[in-house]
Amino acid sequence: MRAYNMEVKWCDERYVPGTVDEHLQVSAISSSSQLLSCASFLGMGEIATTKSFEWVCSMPKMVRALCVILRLSDDLSESYEV
């Protein structure tokens, strides 16, 4: 929710992040990719342990990279719809 609120604040203030990194610090989290990664473990049955969910929630580099890739893909697809 904090990431969504930050994006709303940026929009209301017409703020444009100064760097891509600044943008991705907020928008990669609000893309919900981390949540989808966590949800994918649910279909794995007993293979997915508590440690698996803790690992995803700790936002390791692999999950962070997934969030960034999916967010940038979403941003790019929106820019072509205009």
Side-chain angles (χ1 to χ4, degrees):
M1 292 309 298
R2 289 184 189 121
Y4 287 119
N5 286 338
M6 182 59 75
E7 286 191 35
V8 169
K9 182 180 176 185
W10 284 354
C11 183
D12 289 345
E13 296 173 358
R14 298 186 188 271
Y15 174 75
V16 177
T19 64
V20 173
D21 287 334
E22 181 184 5
H23 167 64
L24 289 175
Q25 284 178 352
V26 174
S27 64
I29 295 169
S30 68
S31 69
S32 300
S33 300
Q34 183 182 19
L35 176 63
L36 293 173
S37 298
C38 189
S40 69
F41 282 115
L42 293 175
M44 299 177 86
E46 293 179 19
I47 295 171
T49 62
T50 304
K51 280 186 153 185
S52 303
F53 293 102
E54 290 171 355
W55 176 78
V56 170
C57 292
S58 71
M59 194 68 128
K61 287 182 180 182
M62 184 186 318
V63 174
R64 170 97 175 128
L66 173 67
C67 292
V68 168
I69 289 168
L70 293 177
R71 180 56 193 234
L72 291 175
S73 296
D74 182 59
D75 289 349
L76 287 171
S77 68
E78 286 180 12
S79 66
Y80 287 116
E81 292 177 6
V82 175

